[in-house]
């Protein structure tokens, strides 16, 4: 903390004039007050179980209102200066904690037991959604329905707008209870699809700037370079951190907690910067570092440090996320909007709804082909997944970057459309989520396999289905899908038999973390079982 | 944090060129690696009880070595770019957590029982030290012994170099055990003298820039404006935070810890920015917010949140402090130094040693006049206090600012001299502290009134000395001093009877925190005693 606040404009001016510094101070003051207000308002709304205005929407509204007031008053220009920060601030200070936390708060067990489905939805599905959106936007431009963008730029827009952020859906799941597999699907999909969307965006951006002599093969290579390269960097740093902190496990020394925590906090940023230094995606890298660090490094920490780092990352990411929503609201209220973008916005919304349907129902069909009868994803779950396609910080950040990457009018159009889509989806979908999920009957205490308790059942069932291969073989395609599915299960085996014993000081058996509650709760995460060295 | 890292140069360039961003990434990467190395090295040294190289010295050395290597190699200019950040970064991101933590880790009981002595040393003493240093440096200039600076600039240098940072002394006290009163004196003096030094520096800076028509009275007014104004802002925000978080005390709601912690983390920065917005000193303000929040707001938190915020601020400030020491080492290795400053540096060191002696032994004499016989500060304690006058982050930050405030050559001279003094005092005093303190016999387990256990004894003795007024009345001056001393004690009464019951949800009785160990230890801070509302 503390330090996750806006870089004042004064920093950009080496003269450091007192007036300007003072104005910056007032600007930051205003931002802190808005943050405090958001937290308190969100808290009050949640206590009164008012689900029509989730925290994210409340933050967005506060930003909208303050921005609107500033717009009316004459102080506009100076306030605009206070809030004017560059997209690097987003990418260096706000996004990393948010993305790391989304990887870090992933519960390994339900995630890995739905690994195949999640990868299908997030990799194949996001690709499908990006292409469908891009092609539709391009066709819309060709047919003069909306502002016309070049095809590659349409694909860039399709990629960035496919990054979902189901923050309100997930908070309602946590509030009301939900099926653990549905939660894992929605959460896992949103986490990995950020990585996919950013990789697609970067690939398209590279294709655009080096448009000569590019062929389809090169595009694939570039995409793999970004995605696999960043993932490897992230996973590598994660494993390094696990081995590094392994050395301290079981040592009962003075001041250990602070040492452990300092190192634990530095590794994610190291991963981010390493990837950026290698011209890869820091965001994708830090996401995978988060997943690996939660799964391996985390269990090498002392019980106190475990509680601390969970709360720490939760705090930092809440602050960053709230700030992002406030900023988005403020920004849309302050922007000079021309009505010419209205058509683009409306058609884009229609297209992303269609693209999301193509993603979810298409991939849902494929996944169900591969799954045995009792594990098929029910239609209600697919609808909930389709419904949870809110757009958030990642789409906004990429749109902010597109303003620099693209020619004047194009980038501005994409940015305005994205901001509008974010605000509309957060306010409309966010407000109706409670009602909608209850109508679909996927939330509520009555639910049998409620989060936490239900997981063991699901998991054992899942394990059984691979122990006894009595399910009748389907068509050739279907068999292949099942084999793919099985390879995901074999990853779980690899993890259990080799990775976990090597990288952690646990006795190799899984912890019983089958519940989705956040780790800042009073409950103590699985304690270290002695300091037996299982490496050999 | 994660987020307490250097602002990349890329931020200053709205174009965001990929090359530059990449170089920035490598720079930050290098910094993170140096941070990790510092923490690990410091940890190893402490485990092997090697007191000749405390953590701060180790960080400084790492910076020096990396800077030296960079100086030899040809990459100098690009590395210099990576590390080139403005002093606003120091003042906005690095100093606030360090200073807040020093206020926040102040143990109220020994601090308030030595309140009179601490205020004497830090307010009167720092004033004396600044003036003595300033006058001696001026006289040295007049006598051609050293670079000649105008008188006001000498006083500015005297003020900034009087900010002490006894980080290594305090860590050795903690390691080896020490008298609780001595610890409170050294720690309390260093905390408040930062506030005094910064206020004096700002006053002198204002005097310099508006030199016409200034009289002595205006200087006093300006000083009081800065010091008292900033202090009031800080105390005000601190009390506001106590009342604000009071509302949540005893509520057993979901997600409470995150809410509490977010608010708790935002208030200090709010205080900082409020003071800056009012043209006051944010550093002084955040320091007093830290003291007040620890004393009042902290006890309104749930037990979990208490543990979390202690660890959080400890973590953030360790990271910032280590980074500052690394940066200082790096900077002195990279700077182009001319030998012409050597005389200035050597004489300055001599003068600050003299000024520190005038401060400590002069104020020690005054304090002892006021104290009853059994509570006099022994000479060994005074020597230890004199010895613990290391210079650190605050002096460095003010010197960094003076480069902007003063004409070219003058600011550079002060900056170079300050950096050299910081490095020399940290390495020399830091390395010899263990030996020196053992020679003075103020550390060691054999000590009777060791930290923690001994405090109750001291305190009850102190209380007695005011219950029965059987000490013979001395001279008029002496009586006045005693009355002043009594008024400090009456603050303790005010706090116990009115402030604590009003601002906290405690039952008004003091907690038993008489020990100096950091709060990240396993021990649970005093738990909330029910949620009885004692306001009425």
């Amino acid at each position: 903390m503390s330090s996750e606040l806006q870089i004042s404009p004064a920093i950009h001016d080496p003269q450091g004039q007192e007036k300007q510094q003072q104005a910056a101070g007032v600007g930051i003051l205003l931002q802190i007050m808005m943050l405090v207000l958001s937290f308190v308002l969100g808290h009050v709304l949640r206590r009164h179980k008012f689900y029509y205005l989730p925290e994210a929407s409340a933050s967005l509204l506060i930003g909208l209102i303050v921005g609107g007031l500033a717009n009316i008053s004459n102080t506009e220009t100076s306030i605009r200066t206070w809030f004017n920060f560059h997209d690097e601030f987003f990418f260096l200070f706000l996004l990393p904690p948010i993305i790391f936390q989304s990887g870090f708060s992933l519960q390994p067990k339900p995630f890995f037991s739905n690994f195949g489905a999640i990868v299908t939805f997030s990799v194949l599905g996001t690709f499908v959604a990006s292409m469908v959106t891009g092609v539709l936007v391009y066709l819309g431009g060709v047919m003069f329905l909306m502002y016309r963008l070049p095809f590659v730029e349409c694909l860039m827009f399709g990629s960035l707008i496919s990054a979902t952020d189901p923050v309100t859906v997930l908070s309602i799941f946590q509030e009301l209870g939900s099926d653990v597999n549905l939660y894992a699907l929605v959460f896992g999909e949103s986490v990995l699809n950020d990585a996919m969307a950013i990789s697609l965006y970067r690939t398209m951006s590279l294709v655009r700037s080096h448009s000569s002599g590019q062929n389809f093969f090169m595009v694939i290579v570039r995409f793999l370079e970004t995605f696999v390269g960043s993932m490897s960097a992230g996973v590598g740093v994660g494993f390094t951190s696990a081995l590094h902190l392994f050395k301290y496990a079981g040592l009962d020394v003075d001041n250990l907690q602070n040492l452990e925590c300092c190192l634990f906090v530095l590794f994610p940023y190291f991963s981010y910067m390493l990837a950026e230094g290698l011209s890869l995606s820091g965001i994708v890298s830090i996401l995978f570092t988060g997943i690996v660090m939660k799964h391996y490094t985390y269990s090498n920490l002392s019980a106190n440090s475990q509680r601390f780092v969970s709360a720490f990352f939760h705090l930092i990411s809440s602050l960053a996320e709230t700030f992002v929503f406030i900023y988005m609201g403020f920004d849309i209220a302050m922007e000079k909007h021309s009505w010419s973008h209205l058509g683009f916005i409306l058609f884009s919304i229609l297209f992303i709804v269609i693209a999301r349907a193509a993603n979810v129902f298409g991939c849902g069909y494929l996944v169900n082909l591969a799954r045995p009868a009792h594990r098929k994803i029910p239609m209600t779950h697919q609808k909930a997944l389709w419904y949870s396609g809110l757009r958030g910080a990642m789409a906004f950040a990429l749109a902010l970057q597109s303003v620099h990457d693209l020619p004047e009018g194009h980038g501005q159009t994409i940015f305005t459309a994205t901001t509008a889509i974010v605000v509309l989806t957060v306010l409309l979908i966010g407000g109706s989520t409670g009602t909608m999920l209850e109508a679909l009957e996927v939330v509520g205490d009555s639910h049998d396999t409620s989060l936490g308790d239900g997981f063991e059942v699901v998991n054992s069932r899942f394990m059984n289905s691979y122990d006894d291969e009595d399910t009748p073989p389907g068509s050739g395609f279907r068999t292949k899908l099942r084999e793919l599915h099985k390879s995901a299960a074999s990853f779980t085996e690899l993890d259990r038999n080799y990775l976990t014993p090597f990288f952690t000081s646990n006795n190799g058996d899984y912890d019983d973390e089958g519940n989705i509650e956040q780790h800042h709760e009073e409950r103590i995460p699985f304690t270290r079982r002695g300091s037996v060295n299982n490496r050999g």
Side-chain angles (χ1 to χ4, degrees), chain A residues 127 202 360 374 450 472 488:
Chain A
F127 179 75
R202 287 173 79 108
V360 171
H374 62 275
S450 76

Side-chain angles (χ1 to χ4, degrees), chain A residues 251-263:
Chain A
L251 285 183
D252 188 28
V253 292
D254 219 31
N255 211 20
L256 175 68
Q257 197 196 343
N258 200 46
L259 174 73
E260 281 185 336
C261 295
C262 281
L263 295 179

Side-chain angles (χ1 to χ4, degrees), chain A residues 13 45 49 68 88 103 158 164 168 192 273 329 411 425 427 475 518:
Chain A
D13 178 8
L45 290 172
K49 303 198 181 302
E88 274 93 357
T164 60
T168 49
L192 290 188
M273 283 302 156
T425 55
L427 289 185
S475 64
Q518 295 294 324

Side-chain angles (χ1 to χ4, degrees), chain A residues 124-419:
Chain A
L124 180 64
T126 305
F127 179 75
V128 169
S130 305
M131 292 304 135
V132 170
T133 313
V135 170
L136 285 177
V137 169
Y138 181 70
L139 291 179
V142 169
M143 292 190 288
F144 300 105
L145 291 172
M146 55 205 289
Y147 190 85
R148 186 172 176 171
L149 294 173
F151 186 57
V152 182
E153 293 176 16
C154 289
L155 291 181
M156 283 170 78
F157 177 65
S159 312
L160 73 89
I161 208 68
S162 296
T164 60
D165 182 9
V167 50
T168 49
V169 179
L170 292 175
S171 77
I172 288 186
F173 279 173
Q174 289 190 12
E175 207 82 2
L176 298 181
S178 152
D179 182 279
V180 69
N181 287 309
L182 176 60
Y183 185 89
L185 269 187
V186 173
F187 189 57
E189 195 259 342
S190 83
V191 165
L192 290 188
N193 99 356
D194 281 357
M196 186 67 189
I198 203 170
S199 302
L200 279 174
Y201 176 84
R202 287 173 79 108
T203 308
M204 294 303 161
S205 176
L206 280 173
V207 168
R208 203 192 76 89
S209 50
H210 308 89
S211 52
S212 61
Q214 290 282 337
N215 57 29
F216 186 70
F217 178 71
M218 280 307 292
V219 175
I220 302 279
V221 168
R222 277 190 188 282
F223 170 75
L224 287 179
E225 218 176 273
T226 308
F227 189 79
V228 179
S230 309
M231 189 176 88
S232 312
V235 170
V237 172
F239 279 130
T240 310
S241 76
L243 283 181
H244 195 86
L245 283 167
F246 193 89
K247 285 184 285 188
Y248 303 103
L251 285 183
D252 188 28
V253 292
D254 219 31
N255 211 20
L256 175 68
Q257 197 196 343
N258 200 46
L259 174 73
E260 281 185 336
C261 295
C262 281
L263 295 179
F264 202 91
V265 166
L266 288 173
F267 271 106
Y269 219 78
F270 181 82
S271 151
Y272 183 85
M273 283 302 156
L274 181 70
E276 288 292 321
L278 297 169
S279 295
L280 300 168
S281 164
I283 295 293
V284 175
S285 178
I286 203 172
L287 170 66
F288 284 97
T289 305
I291 297 174
V292 172
M293 283 183 79
K294 172 60 168 290
H295 201 35
Y296 300 106
T297 320
Y298 186 72
S299 51
N300 287 340
L301 294 178
S302 63
N304 274 327
S305 301
Q306 286 185 345
R307 242 173 293 134
F308 176 75
V309 295
S310 301
F312 178 84
F313 288 119
H314 185 57
L315 173 75
I316 297 288
S317 67
S318 310
L319 284 171
E321 204 163 65
T322 308
F323 190 76
V324 167
F325 279 108
I326 290 176
Y327 178 76
M328 288 194 290
F330 190 87
D331 191 84
I332 202 162
M334 291 296 282
E335 281 291 323
K336 293 265 168 287
H337 297 291
S338 75
W339 290 99
S340 63
H341 291 145
L342 199 65
F344 194 91
I345 293 169
L346 291 180
F347 279 106
S348 300
I349 291 179
L350 181 66
F351 295 159
I352 62 172
V353 169
I354 296 171
R356 176 104 190 136
N359 166 356
V360 171
F361 301 118
C363 293
Y365 180 75
L366 279 183
V367 170
N368 279 343
L369 277 186
R371 286 192 170 191
H374 62 275
R375 291 203 72 241
K376 292 207 188 300
I377 303 173
M379 205 31 145
T380 50
H381 286 194
Q382 293 187 30
K383 279 181 186 157
L385 188 58
W386 173 70
Y387 194 76
S388 57
L390 295 90
R391 268 61 174 179
M394 180 55 85
F396 182 78
L398 286 175
L400 205 57
Q401 191 174 313
S402 77
V403 176
H404 294 304
D405 291 349
L406 299 181
E408 187 73 28
H410 300 183
Q412 198 55 47
T413 306
I414 288 179
F415 181 63
T416 306
T418 306
T419 321

